[in-house]
Amino acid sequence: MTNESWLPSLITETPEEGYELAVVLARKAVGMTQPDAEVRKKLRSVYANNPDSLTLASQVVAIHFQTVAAANNYWKN
Amino acid sequence: MTNESWLPSLITETPEEGYELAVVLARKAVGMTQPDAEVRKKLRSVYANNPDSLTLASQVVAIHFQTVAAANNYWKN
Amino acid sequence: MTNESWLPSLITETPEEGYELAVVLARKAVGMTQPDAEVRKKLRSVYANNPDSLTLASQVVAIHFQTVAAANNYWKN
Amino acid sequence: MTNESWLPSLITETPEEGYELAVVLARKAVGMTQPDAEVRKKLRSVYANNPDSLTLASQVVAIHFQTVAAANNYWKN
Amino acid sequence: MTNESWLPSLITETPEEGYELAVVLARKAVGMTQPDAEVRKKLRSVYANNPDSLTLASQVVAIHFQTVAAANNYWKN
Amino acid sequence: MTNESWLPSLITETPEEGYELAVVLARKAVGMTQPDAEVRKKLRSVYANNPDSLTLASQVVAIHFQTVAAANNYWKN
């Protein structure tokens, strides 16, 4: 279905899936600013070899993981 | 109506709309500091090709998404 | 009244006013470190043309907006 | 009294005093890493003229202000 | 068991184990962007000697530690 | 006792001790990435004279202080 949302819910079965959702959330904003997948691929080869770039990217995932974890009540239930 | 607020509410129907609102919130402060749309367009072509700039922009969206998600009780209801 | 506080309250009528308060909060710390308005004006013309500077400034607004939004219970009442 | 704490409490009378406490909290860590007041004064003259440095410093204040505001229940009582 | 999750839970016995989990969470996103362990090892020797890189990495741990600590109710029980 | 944890608890008697714990938490991740104390000492002499490095380090303390303050219910009891 083409109208399917890329983000139907913040709820995930497990913490690991929650982490993967955080990665999706982090990359989405990048794709909205730079919609050209070819350009993004080229840029990734650059920042994947720059330690500070990797740390910065990890930081955005960390912020989204806070949100997803809170949404799931930290998977405590 | 010209007096309509650009931010009438933090409540959105879906997580996806909440994410889009987070993008609006992130860009608003940029527009308040640099009100010239032509300049912003020129700057966007620069940072859209810089991986760290894209990551930084994604980080601001992540922070606003925390706020919007909390406002919507993580769309759990 | 000269003794009026620049920050009498975190409560605002609307989300939009809350966002404007977040901008005030972000700029206040800059003014405390660099009290010379002429210097700040000169610096603003620099960073208003640097995309990463604009993103960084937007990030500080985002952090303060979290605080203001929480203080107002996300304007849900 | 020489044994007086520099941080006896996070509670303040007003939001404005809470903001000032956030500034103190932000500067304290700098002083712990660079205890030489003369060096700090020299460094301040540098970063007070760099817009990104000012924004970064404002960001640390924003994070501490979140803490102080929460401690004071946003001065709602 | 090869299907074992790298993140079965956010719950840890002690604050110290929670901190170690935060380190794992911070490094995971780096590994997802740069899957080549040899490259990561090379990059680590670079950023381990750059003070700002170390601080940035510590910041990502700090954000994840917030999440883990909240999940464990700050190990107060 | 050599098996003593470096982080037995997030609870502290006072806000000031909580701040000191935040500093410990911020430095711990640095030590885990760069275990050589001699190298860290050398790096410290560099970043202690760089204003942005000092601000970045202060930011990590601020994030950990949020965690410690929440764990202690802001020392309100």
Side-chain angles (χ1 to χ4, degrees):
Chain A
M1 186 163 89
T2 51
N3 284 328
E4 206 178 328
S5 172
W6 68 271
L7 185 62
S9 168
L10 296 181
I11 306 304
T12 69
E13 285 285 323
T14 64
E16 187 175 340
E17 288 173 27
Y19 193 91
E20 283 158 18
L21 179 54
V23 174
V24 170
L25 287 160
R27 291 188 179 163
K28 185 68 181 180
V30 173
M32 289 168 82
T33 309
Q34 177 47 269
D36 188 324
E38 276 307 304
V39 175
R40 288 204 308 274
K41 197 179 165 185
K42 210 173 96 185
L43 296 176
R44 189 170 298 186
S45 71
V46 177
Y47 86 79
N49 291 289
N50 181 307
D52 289 350
S53 300
L54 288 165
T55 305
L56 273 177
S58 179
Q59 185 167 340
V60 185
V61 172
I63 296 168
H64 279 303
F65 187 63
Q66 286 195 329
T67 309
V68 175
N72 287 278
N73 196 27
Y74 306 100
W75 299 275
K76 286 192 283 195
N77 301 332
Chain B
M1 185 162 92
T2 52
N3 285 328
E4 207 178 328
S5 172
W6 67 272
L7 184 61
S9 168
L10 296 181
I11 306 305
T12 69
E13 286 284 325
T14 63
E16 188 175 339
E17 287 173 27
Y19 193 90
E20 283 158 18
L21 179 55
V23 174
V24 169
L25 287 160
R27 292 189 179 161
K28 184 69 181 180
V30 173
M32 288 168 83
T33 309
Q34 177 47 269
D36 188 325
E38 277 306 304
V39 175
R40 287 204 308 274
K41 197 180 165 185
K42 208 172 96 184
L43 296 176
R44 188 169 299 184
S45 72
V46 177
Y47 87 80
N49 291 289
N50 181 307
D52 289 350
S53 300
L54 288 165
T55 306
L56 272 177
S58 179
Q59 185 168 340
V60 185
V61 173
I63 296 168
H64 279 303
F65 188 62
Q66 286 195 329
T67 310
V68 175
N72 287 278
N73 195 26
Y74 306 100
W75 299 276
K76 285 193 284 195
N77 302 332
Chain C
M1 186 162 92
T2 52
N3 285 328
E4 205 179 329
S5 172
W6 67 272
L7 185 62
S9 168
L10 296 181
I11 305 306
T12 68
E13 286 284 324
T14 63
E16 187 174 341
E17 287 173 28
Y19 194 90
E20 283 159 17
L21 179 55
V23 174
V24 169
L25 287 160
R27 292 189 178 160
K28 185 68 181 181
V30 173
M32 289 168 83
T33 308
Q34 178 47 270
D36 188 325
E38 276 306 306
V39 175
R40 287 205 307 274
K41 197 179 165 185
K42 210 173 95 183
L43 295 177
R44 188 170 298 186
S45 71
V46 177
Y47 86 80
N49 291 289
N50 181 308
D52 289 350
S53 300
L54 288 165
T55 305
L56 272 177
S58 178
Q59 185 167 341
V60 185
V61 172
I63 296 168
H64 279 303
F65 188 62
Q66 286 195 330
T67 310
V68 175
N72 287 278
N73 195 26
Y74 306 100
W75 299 276
K76 286 193 283 196
N77 301 333
Chain D
M1 185 162 92
T2 51
N3 284 329
E4 205 178 327
S5 172
W6 67 271
L7 185 62
S9 168
L10 296 181
I11 306 305
T12 68
E13 286 284 324
T14 63
E16 187 174 341
E17 287 173 28
Y19 194 90
E20 283 158 17
L21 179 54
V23 174
V24 169
L25 286 160
R27 291 188 179 162
K28 185 69 182 180
V30 173
M32 289 168 82
T33 308
Q34 178 47 270
D36 188 325
E38 277 306 306
V39 174
R40 288 203 307 273
K41 197 179 165 184
K42 210 172 95 184
L43 296 177
R44 189 169 299 186
S45 71
V46 177
Y47 86 80
N49 291 289
N50 181 308
D52 289 349
S53 300
L54 288 165
T55 305
L56 272 177
S58 179
Q59 186 167 340
V60 185
V61 172
I63 296 168
H64 279 303
F65 188 62
Q66 285 195 329
T67 310
V68 175
N72 287 278
N73 195 26
Y74 306 99
W75 299 276
K76 286 194 282 196
N77 301 332
Chain E
M1 186 162 90
T2 50
N3 285 327
E4 206 179 327
S5 172
W6 68 270
L7 185 61
S9 168
L10 296 181
I11 306 304
T12 69
E13 285 285 323
T14 63
E16 187 175 340
E17 287 174 27
Y19 193 91
E20 283 158 18
L21 179 54
V23 174
V24 170
L25 287 160
R27 291 188 180 163
K28 185 69 182 179
V30 173
M32 289 168 82
T33 309
Q34 177 48 268
D36 189 324
E38 277 305 304
V39 174
R40 287 204 308 274
K41 197 179 165 186
K42 211 173 94 185
L43 296 177
R44 188 169 299 186
S45 71
V46 177
Y47 85 79
N49 291 289
N50 181 307
D52 289 349
S53 300
L54 289 165
T55 305
L56 272 177
S58 179
Q59 185 167 340
V60 184
V61 173
I63 296 168
H64 279 303
F65 188 61
Q66 286 195 330
T67 309
V68 176
N72 287 278
N73 195 25
Y74 306 100
W75 298 275
K76 284 193 284 195
N77 301 331
Chain F
M1 185 163 90
T2 51
N3 285 329
E4 207 178 326
S5 172
W6 67 271
L7 185 61
S9 168
L10 296 181
I11 307 304
T12 69
E13 286 284 324
T14 63
E16 187 175 341
E17 287 173 28
Y19 194 91
E20 283 158 16
L21 179 54
V23 173
V24 169
L25 286 160
R27 291 188 179 163
K28 185 69 182 180
V30 173
M32 289 167 82
T33 308
Q34 177 47 269
D36 188 325
E38 276 306 306
V39 175
R40 288 204 307 273
K41 197 179 164 184
K42 211 173 94 185
L43 296 176
R44 188 169 299 187
S45 71
V46 177
Y47 86 79
N49 291 289
N50 181 307
D52 289 349
S53 300
L54 288 165
T55 306
L56 271 178
S58 178
Q59 185 167 341
V60 184
V61 173
I63 296 168
H64 279 303
F65 188 61
Q66 286 195 330
T67 310
V68 175
N72 287 277
N73 195 26
Y74 306 100
W75 299 276
K76 285 193 282 196
N77 301 332

